[in-house]
């Protein structure tokens, strides 16, 4: 499994953009990069995923480096509800289908 | 509303008293899974199921049992709970049991906080 490195914590102001980095230098060529987040007292929830090109959805954008050794999750305008632990997960799937959650980045959003 | 539900949400029990945590999904998903979350250890998979009557061990299966008699339900059974099974448990499901590469979104339940005294 690819090893990921994320900052332990980050802070943001409400309504400002947030860039959450992730290094995954050992990622295989077939691993997708998934991001999940876990709000306080809730189960993890899917945010976004991609393989090589940048991806956008209603929640966030995902910028993937050309060499795929790093990626950045972008929240365009942070809200208080975005305060959560964000997990970057290289994921191929396999028959077991288990997501390998690291420690993630705890994002705090200040009003 | 598409969701994964778990019951109970909170449970305090004593060592050795058998318990079952239920998990149900209403999305007709084939794949279901149980994780436990512990401080400093992250989420670890206990058991998973690719389809009805098909289950397999995850990374930390000792002390747990599961069954998958219906597509929507995937109960987690602790036959003889011990204090080291005190944890936060999450059930998850995803649409397909197809092989890799997997891009399926996994949907998680709200969690069950279990304390074994």
């Amino acid at each position: 499994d690819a090893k990921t490195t994320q900052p332990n914590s980050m802070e943001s102001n409400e309504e400002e953009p947030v860039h959450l980095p992730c290094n995954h230098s050992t990622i295989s060529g077939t691993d997708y990069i998934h991001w999940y987040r876990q709000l306080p007292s809730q189960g993890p929830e899917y945010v976004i995923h991609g393989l090589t090109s940048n991806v956008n959805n209603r929640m966030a954008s995902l910028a993937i480096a050309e060499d795929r050794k790093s990626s950045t999750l972008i929240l365009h305008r942070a809200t208080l509800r975005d305060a959560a632990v964000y997990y970057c997960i290289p994921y191929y799937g396999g028959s077991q289908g288990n997501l390998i959650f690291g420690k993630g980045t705890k994002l705090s959003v200040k009003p | 509303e598409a969701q994964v539900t778990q019951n109970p949400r909170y449970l305090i029990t004593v060592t050795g008293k058998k318990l079952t945590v239920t998990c149900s999904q209403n999305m007709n998903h084939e794949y279901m899974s149980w994780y436990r979350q512990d401080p400093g250890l992250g989420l670890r998979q206990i058991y998973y199921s690719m389809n009805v009557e098909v289950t397999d061990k995850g990374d930390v299966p000792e002390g747990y049992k599961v069954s998958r008699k219906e597509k929507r339900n995937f109960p987690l059974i602790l036959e003889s709970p011990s204090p080291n099974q005190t944890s936060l448990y999450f059930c998850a499901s995803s649409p397909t049991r197809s092989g890799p590469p997997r891009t399926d979104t996994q949907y998680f339940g709200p969690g069950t906080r279990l304390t074994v005294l």
Side-chain angles (χ1 to χ4, degrees):
Chain A
D1 297 320
K3 181 175 166 54
T4 59
T5 304
Q6 297 180 254
N8 288 333
S9 61
M10 291 184 65
E11 269 192 1
S12 170
N13 294 317
E14 199 175 9
E15 299 193 5
E16 290 186 355
V18 182
H19 291 232
L20 296 161
C22 180
N23 287 325
H24 31 76
S25 57
T26 58
I27 194 170
S28 78
T30 49
D31 282 343
Y32 283 75
I33 299 154
H34 288 243
W35 284 79
Y36 280 73
R37 71 180 186 181
Q38 188 171 16
L39 302 169
S41 302
Q42 294 191 27
E45 69 173 341
Y46 167 82
V47 178
I48 199 167
H49 76 271
L51 185 61
T52 54
S53 24
N54 297 343
V55 184
N56 301 296
N57 66 20
R58 64 174 180 80
M59 288 180 74
S61 295
L62 177 60
I64 302 171
E66 201 169 324
D67 62 8
R68 294 194 357 107
K69 293 186 177 183
S70 65
S71 62
T72 302
L73 180 71
I74 302 163
L75 307 179
H76 295 285
R77 289 183 68 205
T79 68
L80 297 177
R81 196 193 171 276
D82 291 321
V85 179
Y86 287 78
Y87 299 97
C88 161
I89 306 172
Y91 181 56
Y92 181 65
S95 58
Q96 189 170 341
N98 59 323
L99 296 166
I100 308 295
F101 288 82
K103 291 185 168 54
T105 296
K106 184 174 183 178
L107 175 67
S108 303
V109 180
K110 295 184 291 185
Chain B
E1 180 191 353
Q3 60 183 351
V4 178
T5 55
Q6 295 179 226
N7 282 293
R9 294 288 315 278
Y10 302 91
L11 179 60
I12 301 174
T13 189
V14 295
T15 299
K17 186 176 181 183
K18 180 179 178 180
L19 66 93
T20 299
V21 183
T22 65
C23 172
S24 183
Q25 50 92 5
N26 63 0
M27 296 168 279
N28 202 36
H29 286 171
E30 293 181 329
Y31 178 91
M32 296 186 75
S33 175
W34 276 101
Y35 291 83
R36 61 179 287 175
Q37 185 173 30
D38 302 290
L41 296 175
L43 282 95
R44 296 175 293 167
Q45 190 186 55
I46 304 170
Y47 267 94
Y48 66 98
S49 170
M50 306 284 268
N51 210 335
V52 174
E53 302 292 2
V54 180
T55 64
D56 211 340
K57 295 176 181 178
D59 297 322
V60 288
E62 293 76 24
Y64 304 95
K65 284 175 57 178
V66 292
S67 70
R68 188 92 181 271
K69 293 186 170 56
E70 306 164 283
K71 200 171 191 179
R72 65 183 292 126
N73 296 322
F74 190 45
L76 179 69
I77 303 155
L78 284 72
E79 294 268 1
S80 183
S82 63
N84 65 12
Q85 292 178 298
T86 293
S87 187
L88 181 57
Y89 291 87
F90 291 102
C91 181
S93 72
S94 68
T96 178
R97 60 181 171 89
S98 300
R102 292 267 302 270
T103 61
D104 298 338
T105 296
Q106 292 204 16
Y107 297 81
F108 286 80
T112 294
R113 187 166 291 282
L114 172 66
T115 302
V116 183
L117 302 174

